Amino acid sequence: MANNQLDIKFPKGGVFFIVIAVIALIIFSKSTVTIGPGEGGVIFETLGDGINTDKTYGEGFQIVAPWNKMIVRKVRQQSISDEMNVLSVNGLEVKVNGTIWYEPEFANLGNLIKTKGEDYERELLDPAVNAAARSVVGRYTPEQLYSSKRDIIEQEILEELQMVLKGQFLIVKRVLVEDVKLPTTIRTAIETKLKQEQESLEYEFRLAKAKKEAERQKIDAEGKAVANKILSASLTDKILQEKGIEATLELSKSPNSKVVLIGAGKSGMPIILGNQ
């Protein structure tokens, strides 16, 4: 019994075109790169001089020669957080928790990677942050670090970092000191001292307020005394007599029956007798 055989025949040259298509597809996939939002890319020329520093590629679809490599890094603002052990001005070890906001210079991304490597945060930023923090924190006492100098310290670390990183293609935007950890005994002593200072300020405020109130009352009393003295000096016998006559005349107009004796009182003042 004869075996049925299925013969598949490709068109002449078909295998060759399939191989070419597969090779072309591989080359195409190796030659295209999509750079995401907030990212930038630089070309590493395998057959050339390495990183091409002349151009930084932006977001979107990019075509690269298959023998080259596109290195893609974030170029938007980023942040790193760290805890550093540093010494205060009197040699006490403190822990500082901080966050740094930074971003690479887009146009110089190639120079940054070429000089500092792809892991430039570890190679460049971390050592600079630690050096700046140690330099600035070493100027202050634990009490200053714990309380009133936080904003000043942040600004000084930022300025120190910007000076250290000047010309190295990395921009530091902001420094935030989130926490300063002191040994428990030192922290307790500082908190106690600050509480006592606050209570002292409150006591002084109450004393000052009481003193001002006493001065106000004294001034008020002196003012009234002067006014009474002036009034007493102005009330002569004739004025008092005239006021008495005026008051008597007003009373005499009331409907109640009465007897008015003119000149019967002391100093010639009228006397009004009640209902008769």
Side-chain angles (χ1 to χ4, degrees), residues 7-266:
D7 294 332
I8 300 176
K9 295 182 179 180
F10 290 97
K12 187 177 181 180
V15 175
F16 175 76
F17 285 114
I18 291 174
V19 172
I20 294 297
V22 171
I23 294 173
L25 182 62
I26 294 173
I27 292 174
F28 180 78
S29 65
K30 293 288 187 180
S31 303
T32 59
V33 176
T34 300
I35 299 177
E39 295 179 337
V42 295
I43 297 293
F44 179 80
E45 298 176 347
T46 306
L47 304 178
D49 297 327
I51 298 292
N52 185 335
T53 60
D54 295 333
K55 181 179 180 181
T56 302
Y57 294 82
E59 302 171 0
F61 183 79
Q62 306 290 347
I63 297 177
V64 184
W67 54 85
N68 290 336
K69 175 186 176 183
M70 177 74 80
I71 299 175
V72 178
R73 293 304 311 268
K74 293 178 181 179
V75 292
R76 64 175 180 269
Q77 181 172 286
Q78 305 160 68
S79 66
I80 58 169
S81 299
D82 195 11
E83 182 179 83
M84 297 162 283
N85 293 324
V86 294
L87 299 178
S88 64
V89 69
N90 54 5
L92 180 69
E93 185 176 274
V94 297
K95 292 182 179 181
V96 178
N97 289 331
T99 298
I100 311 296
W101 280 268
Y102 70 97
E103 66 182 44
E105 292 181 7
F106 179 82
N108 287 305
L109 182 60
N111 287 311
L112 177 59
I113 294 175
K114 191 177 185 70
T115 56
K116 305 302 176 183
E118 293 185 53
D119 192 13
Y120 49 77
E121 289 94 347
R122 183 176 61 84
E123 298 291 338
L124 176 61
L125 188 58
D126 285 352
V129 170
N130 278 274
R134 287 189 174 91
S135 174
V136 173
V137 172
R139 305 169 191 167
Y140 296 97
T141 65
E143 185 175 346
Q144 291 171 326
L145 296 172
Y146 188 74
S147 55
S148 60
K149 296 291 185 179
R150 190 73 58 86
D151 293 341
I152 298 175
I153 291 169
E154 290 176 349
Q155 184 61 33
E156 289 185 0
I157 292 176
L158 175 61
E159 293 172 356
E160 190 92 9
L161 268 174
Q162 290 173 338
M163 183 177 65
V164 171
L165 296 174
K166 186 177 181 180
Q168 300 200 59
F169 320 115
L170 196 62
I171 303 170
V172 176
K173 297 297 205 54
R174 187 186 173 192
V175 173
L176 175 64
V177 176
E178 298 166 339
D179 189 24
V180 176
K181 296 180 180 179
L182 303 175
T184 304
T185 54
I186 301 298
R187 186 179 69 251
T188 302
I190 290 173
E191 289 174 349
T192 301
K193 181 180 178 182
L194 292 175
K195 182 179 179 181
Q196 291 173 346
E197 288 177 351
Q198 183 64 32
E199 291 174 349
S200 177
L201 289 174
E202 291 177 358
Y203 179 70
E204 290 177 3
F205 173 77
R206 289 196 298 271
L207 286 179
K209 185 177 179 181
K211 184 178 179 181
K212 288 182 179 179
E213 178 62 20
E215 290 176 351
R216 185 194 67 78
Q217 292 179 359
K218 179 181 178 182
I219 292 171
D220 186 49
E222 289 175 348
K224 288 181 180 179
V226 171
N228 290 335
K229 185 177 181 181
I230 294 173
L231 180 61
S232 297
S234 64
L235 294 176
T236 63
D237 292 341
K238 290 184 178 181
I239 292 176
L240 291 173
Q241 187 176 19
E242 182 180 351
K243 294 294 183 181
I245 293 171
E246 290 176 356
T248 303
L249 291 175
E250 289 295 326
L251 289 172
S252 68
K253 295 177 183 178
S254 66
N256 298 324
S257 60
K258 59 190 73 66
V259 175
V260 179
L261 301 178
I262 304 299
K266 291 182 179 181

